[in-house]
Amino acid sequence: MQYTLQVQGMTCGHCERAVTQAVQQLDPAATVRIDRAQNRVDIDSTQPREALAAAIAEEGYQVTA
């Protein structure tokens, strides 16, 4: 499945890595593309959207959509 999440609070490369690693811990085969300027995270994953959003939120980022 393809998901697009709006993620607030990503300000640097470290933030991008934290979000990517959070998703890939849940689904190691997931593809993550981040557009920090747009606060957008595009994810290709077999996991449900809610689980992916929860994993990102657990890292301290606000998922708004």
Side-chain angles (χ1 to χ4, degrees):
M1 300 291 295
Q2 292 185 345
Y3 305 103
T4 298
L5 303 175
Q6 291 296 314
V7 179
Q8 303 297 316
M10 296 183 298
T11 60
C12 63
H14 176 302
C15 297
E16 291 183 12
R17 283 191 301 280
V19 168
T20 299
Q21 289 174 349
V23 170
Q24 290 181 335
Q25 281 182 342
L26 197 59
D27 179 1
T31 301
V32 181
R33 291 173 303 286
I34 296 175
D35 182 341
R36 195 179 340 144
Q38 299 293 319
N39 296 318
R40 190 173 79 206
V41 179
D42 295 317
I43 303 170
D44 293 328
S45 175
T46 58
Q47 294 295 314
R49 178 186 184 91
E50 297 77 22
L52 297 168
I56 293 170
E58 206 170 283
E59 291 296 316
Y61 302 98
Q62 182 180 5
V63 180
T64 57

